Amino acid sequence: MKGFGSDKPAILDLITSRSNQQRIQIIQAYKSLYGKDLIDDLKYELTGKFERLIVGLMRPPAYFDAKEIKDALDGAGTDEKCLVEILASRDNQQIHALVEAYKDAYGRDLESDVVTDTSGHFKKMLIVLLQGTREEDDIVSDELVAQDAKELFEAGEAKWGTDEAQFIYILGSRSRTHLQLVFDEYEKIAGKRIEESIKGELSGDFEKLMLAIVKCIRSIRDYFATRLYKSMKGLGTADNTLIRIMVSRSEIDMMDIRESFRTQYEKSLYSMIKNDTSGEYKKALLNLCGGDDDAAGDYFPEAAQVAFQKWELSATTAARMELKGTIYPAADFSADNDGKALRKAMKGFGTDEGAIIDILTKRSNSQRQEIKQAFKSHFGRDLMADLKSELSGTLSKLILGLMMTPAQFDAKQINKAIAEIRAIDEAYQEAFHKSLEDAISSDTSGHFKRILISLASANRDESGEDFEKAVEDAKVIASVLEVSDSGSDDSTSLETRFMTILCTRSYPHLRRVFQEFIKQTNHDVEHTIKKEMKGDVKDAFVAIVRSVKNKSSFFAERLYKAMKGAGTDEQTLTRILISRSEIDLFNIRQEFKEEYEKSLHHCLESETSGDYRKALLAICAGDD
């Protein structure tokens, strides 16, 4: 750090290759040699995220946690996610050390500051955690396990309202070993995982805190792996979270977290950090990570076990999921009155877009068809033509889409997609004097065409699973994807059967097929398709698999990608919100919030504008 500029690589190499205890000794030696505070000098020489990371490494763990908590409580608003992460994941000894360090560093009582900055049941649970009095013995009473599971059930699912105090007491005081057994017993009593009950019974920051505690009780390494993944997923990087976890876990369980990350997300933590960060900051994080788990190759047997469990959960969830739309038939409906109101909104100078939106986004599709007929009867006019004349841009496309029957709307979307493909083909022909289909391998092009034709034929079976057939179907898929050799069938016959399986088997049956595929190959079918296939064929089969696994999650991802990055894909937004509004848009909203930690309403509000935004938000029908 002496002289003009600073040698950042030397700083990061030295500091990230020493233990925290050795860094404390370096601080003391630096003071003795130069009479200067090393942390102050580092703050002066370094900037931004790199400075925050390096300075964080120089603090003892308890003081690092204290600084993170202080930052979370200071300023306008409170960083609840930071409070949740630290207080839900630390053991009694770490909590006591944190409280003492906070008092020493800032001359303040941590509990008092938390009380001032938080409220409600969230505050009560944080105070319980700050006591650091969780039971620590491994001796478990079967009777107490059964009693706690029963009391949790009776405090939530079994009564009107929720007894939050019971959740706070049991989840805040019982030992980890005891609670793991309580969660298993609870699932037997309630018929669902405790996480599902918490989501249904609690809300807001209190819900997030309780879910974090459950996750940490089940597996602390899985909890941090998920936190790291979400910090780098999507647009931008949550650097404070990334720094906090990499610093605080680097000498505790980073190898375990890496293994969990690779298992859950089929990519290494190292590779994700490498792709999401840059400069000296990236080099320091990679040093803390300590190694690339992708370097050993793609085969990762633990990932197959996790994938199998996800398919089990998919089957269970699908069997009991109640699909909910966001648009329902309006009560006290009068097609005549709505027709007159719409005519008034479009008559004369200017158009009352707000009135049109309010009416048409609050009627079911069948009611809109009645309005069209009433409009024609009263005024001798075509409502669709009038709307098209009075509205423009994305709002016009959205409102006209709502006025079509579901079948008409889907047909219009497919026709539009085919027209776009034809336009691309014509442009390619003009530029290069040969057809696009000829330029692409005829085999790939042919397969994609056959997939679309098969899906368009609507020949998907709607019965349940057939176990024996599922075993055979899994063998065919394994052979086509080249992860096993089924024997005698020629490749053309196998490919045809493969396509038939994915395009015509029922969803329950396919879930069983994909589980059998894992048993036979130790690979997940989605991951294998992504690896072995390419282009439109890969995209089509991945879309089928994702829909089978969780259709609501599939559409949530499509909506997220439509708004992610520069620009917004209004066509996709319009298509999904219209087509799913009376089927499962409420479920899609829930999946969106769960996956991306922000509401669909919030994203629509941020990424769209004007009357188009107003109409989309009306269809979304709520902010989660």
Side-chain angles (χ1 to χ4, degrees), residues 353-354 357-358 361-362 392-399 402 563 568 570 573-574 577 600-622:
E353 288 90 351
I357 291 167
D358 287 340
T361 60
K362 292 180 174 61
S392 61
T394 50
L395 177 64
S396 173
K397 292 174 183 175
L398 179 65
I399 295 297
L402 285 169
M563 294 180 279
T568 301
E570 286 96 354
L573 286 185
T574 299
L577 262 72
L600 176 58
H601 183 282
H602 170 78
C603 289
L604 291 170
E605 195 171 39
S606 303
E607 297 295 328
T608 59
S609 60
D611 289 317
Y612 177 59
R613 173 171 64 189
K614 184 178 178 182
L616 288 175
L617 293 178
I619 296 169
C620 182

